[in-house]
Amino acid sequence: LWYSSSVKKPEHFGFIKIMFIWERFMLFDRVKPLDQILATAEKKGLKRQLGAFSLTMLGIGAIIGTGIFVLTAVAANKAGPGMMYSFVIAGFVCALTALIYSEIAAMVPVAGSAYTYSYAVLGETIAWAVGWALILEYAVAAGAVAVGWSGYINGLLHEMNMGLPAALMAGPADTITLPDGTTTHGTFNVLAFTISLLITWLLVLGTSKSAKFTSILVVIKVLALAVFIVLAWPHIQASNFEPMLPNGWGTPLSGVGVLGAAASIFFAYVGFDAVSTAAEETENPNRNIPIGLIGSLAVCTVFYLLVSYAAIGSMGAQPGGALSQSKEPLAFVLKEIGFPGVGNAVGIAAILALPSVVLMMMFGQTRILFTMARDGLMPKAFAKVHPKYHTPHVVTIVTGIAVSLFAAMFPVGALADISNSGTLFAFFVVAVGVMVLRKQQPDRPRPFRTPLLWIVGPLAMGGCALLFVSLGWLTIKLFLIWFVIGMAVYFLYSRKHSHLANGTSHD
């Protein structure tokens, strides 16, 4: 209206230009009402078939994985025995975030996780930024877990004198320690590539099949961790915890010390929010989503603290030491303390169980991209549902190919840190969104209310910000580059294809 009334008045052209720029780049426009989001999901939603137990198993399946089976070595190299504190810090931040997620996920039980919540409260531009960041969380994380899985299976194959050539054991940016002690670089991680493609095929077949598969693998890896704790515990020595903080607490942007290790080990807890991406496929989501989120995180936190304490106490964890350099740290500890057979068994358990984490990370990614496509922000082909399997097969295949290539080319530590940057950004925005929604719509029904939100919310935001700056400057630069690319894609393609802005919908 202001444009049409001013177009014939040249003196107003400057004002028109300013208003155009504001409309074009304003951040908090195009908010999608919650009722519209719920109506869209009901009309074009996925089949509801997951209960509280399945969700909790999916959450545990997503959480327990590379973080404890592989990144224990990375944390030891950054913080030494102080990584015990790192597990506590990362777990505390995740616990705060889980409480916040539970409120919004129970209110808005649809696919899309933090992206959908941001769309409903903070607007399309912020929602796009969150969805773009979640590609780092899920797709890159899935690649990291696949690389961690390949480390265990390569170790087992070498024990059986059936090892692959070094060039096929890792990507070009990763190093491999050969049996004679020398190191070399890989070329293409063929095992990580293969497992990612297999998981993609399984996801195309169907959600319920994936959930049953995950539940079996969860039991296997929980048993493996329990056996590790029982066997390593008697070998704990107080001297192995000295010095407790060889690299100190760490400083922002350094990527080392307790905070640097916490920023990396945060990856060990990521996955609980993948439960919220399954909200649209959950029976009675108002009740079952909070159970799945909080229950899976609680179980995993207890295991993490016991396993890390047993690992450090039984053989030490100084930076540069044997544990910090291992590609299969838990199996390595058991072999060193006199249980080589059980160590191999734990390695086999990791080989069997880690694919469940790849599955959940890819599951979360496909559901977010599916929802973004349903909103018009991604190509509409991503929103297609298979007529037989009732899964978003196109986006699953595209995601699977991307994850396979990530896994084939990059080392686990680098992938984990990059993934964490996207996760921490998304968690921060969700905390903001839940607090804003409390003020905007205080009377909207909330099946689960975050206790002490005005304390929990700021603490969660502060924790996410602290861990983000502790990732190291290189990781932060990569995140910023990714963010700029995402904004370019949004303003060049997604913004003008948005169904909310155009009054259209995907058929």
Side-chain angles (χ1 to χ4, degrees):
L1 288 175
W2 60 258
Y3 182 87
S4 62
S5 64
S6 304
V7 70
K8 295 182 180 179
K9 300 177 182 179
E11 65 271 18
H12 290 168
F13 283 168
F15 173 72
I16 293 170
K17 185 176 180 180
I18 291 172
M19 290 299 295
F20 173 78
I21 293 173
W22 172 252
E23 190 279 334
R24 181 76 172 171
F25 295 102
M26 146 167 109
L27 293 181
F28 302 102
D29 63 338
R30 299 187 182 179
V31 175
K32 189 173 185 180
L34 286 177
D35 292 332
Q36 184 178 343
I37 290 174
L38 293 169
T40 301
E42 189 67 28
K43 181 179 178 182
K44 305 167 187 173
L46 301 168
K47 183 179 178 182
R48 296 192 182 275
Q49 52 191 319
L50 302 175
F53 178 77
S54 293
L55 278 177
T56 304
M57 290 296 102
L58 284 172
I60 296 174
I63 298 171
I64 295 182
T66 292
I68 193 64
F69 280 104
V70 179
L71 290 182
T72 302
V74 175
N77 200 40
K78 290 187 174 186
M83 72 174 178
M84 281 291 300
Y85 300 138
S86 303
F87 272 101
V88 173
I89 293 171
F92 179 69
V93 173
C94 277
L96 296 174
T97 309
L99 290 172
I100 292 171
Y101 257 86
S102 294
E103 175 168 324
I104 190 69
M107 291 175 65
V108 193
V110 300
S113 185
Y115 159 77
T116 300
Y117 313 148
S118 302
Y119 212 156
V121 183
L122 302 176
E124 185 177 276
T125 307
I126 299 297
W128 167 268
V130 170
W132 191 253
L134 289 176
I135 295 176
L136 293 182
E137 174 179 352
Y138 289 111
V140 177
V145 178
V147 174
W149 175 85
S150 72
Y152 270 91
I153 195 168
N154 278 320
L156 181 64
L157 290 175
H158 274 283
E159 290 276 341
M160 301 166 60
N161 296 316
M162 297 170 58
L164 295 172
L168 300 179
M169 292 170 60
D174 205 354
T175 57
I176 295 294
T177 302
L178 301 176
D180 61 4
T182 60
T183 60
T184 184
H185 286 280
T187 301
F188 189 88
N189 193 329
V190 67
L191 293 177
F193 180 81
T194 302
I195 192 63
S196 300
L197 289 181
L198 289 174
I199 294 297
T200 300
W201 172 73
L202 182 62
L203 279 171
V204 169
L205 292 183
T207 303
S208 61
K209 295 181 178 63
S210 302
K212 293 172 183 176
F213 172 73
T214 299
S215 297
I216 294 171
L217 297 185
V218 165
V219 172
I220 292 174
K221 59 187 174 184
V222 167
L223 286 175
L225 294 180
V227 169
F228 175 86
I229 294 167
V230 170
L231 294 181
W233 203 268
H235 296 267
I236 294 174
Q237 299 179 29
S239 59
N240 286 329
F241 290 91
E242 299 174 359
M244 188 69 178
L245 303 175
N247 289 335
W249 287 95
T251 56
L253 306 181
S254 67
V256 297
V258 171
L259 290 177
S264 291
I265 212 67
F266 183 78
F267 186 86
Y269 292 93
V270 171
F272 76 88
D273 60 318
V275 170
S276 67
T277 69
E280 200 168 313
E281 294 158 272
T282 300
E283 299 170 346
N284 192 11
N286 294 344
R287 168 184 175 273
N288 291 337
I289 291 293
I291 291 175
L293 282 166
I294 298 172
S296 60
L297 184 62
V299 170
C300 295
T301 299
V302 171
F303 269 102
Y304 281 1
L305 293 176
L306 293 175
V307 168
S308 59
Y309 183 77
I312 297 167
S314 59
M315 66 171 298
Q318 294 303 320
L323 177 63
S324 68
Q325 302 303 309
S326 176
K327 298 286 186 183
E328 41 171 358
L330 299 191
F332 175 78
V333 168
L334 291 175
K335 293 173 184 177
E336 290 295 306
I337 63 176
F339 299 99
V342 182
N344 286 332
V346 168
I348 292 172
I351 290 167
L352 293 174
L354 287 181
S356 68
V357 189
V358 181
L359 184 149
M360 267 311 299
M361 292 296 145
M362 289 178 61
F363 175 92
Q365 180 65 86
T366 58
R367 270 47 182 183
I368 290 167
L369 293 176
F370 168 82
T371 307
M372 294 175 77
R374 194 166 60 185
D375 291 332
L377 303 184
M378 285 285 183
K380 63 180 182 180
F382 284 10
K384 288 184 177 179
V385 177
H386 196 284
K388 178 180 179 181
Y389 302 126
H390 306 291
T391 57
H393 59 295
V394 175
V395 71
T396 298
I397 293 170
V398 172
T399 299
I401 292 172
V403 169
S404 300
L405 293 174
F406 289 150
M409 304 303 291
F410 297 102
V412 62
L415 288 173
D417 282 353
I418 294 170
S419 171
N420 287 346
S421 67
T423 306
L424 290 165
F425 175 78
F427 284 4
F428 184 94
V429 173
V430 169
V432 173
V434 170
M435 290 190 291
V436 169
L437 194 61
R438 277 279 188 100
K439 285 294 185 181
Q440 286 183 345
Q441 302 182 39
D443 298 327
R444 178 174 283 273
R446 287 171 169 80
F448 179 90
R449 294 179 66 90
T450 302
L452 303 174
L453 177 64
W454 303 108
I455 296 175
V456 171
L459 281 176
M461 292 165 59
C464 289
L466 177 63
L467 293 182
F468 184 88
V469 299
S470 299
L471 284 168
W473 180 232
L474 176 60
T475 300
I476 293 174
K477 283 196 294 186
L478 291 173
F479 173 82
L480 293 176
I481 291 170
W482 179 254
F483 183 84
V484 170
I485 294 172
M487 287 297 99
V489 173
Y490 174 70
F491 284 110
L492 292 175
Y493 171 84
S494 301
R495 188 171 177 84
K496 54 190 173 186
H497 287 85
S498 167
H499 293 324
L500 180 65
N502 298 328
T504 58
S505 63
H506 173 68
D507 295 323

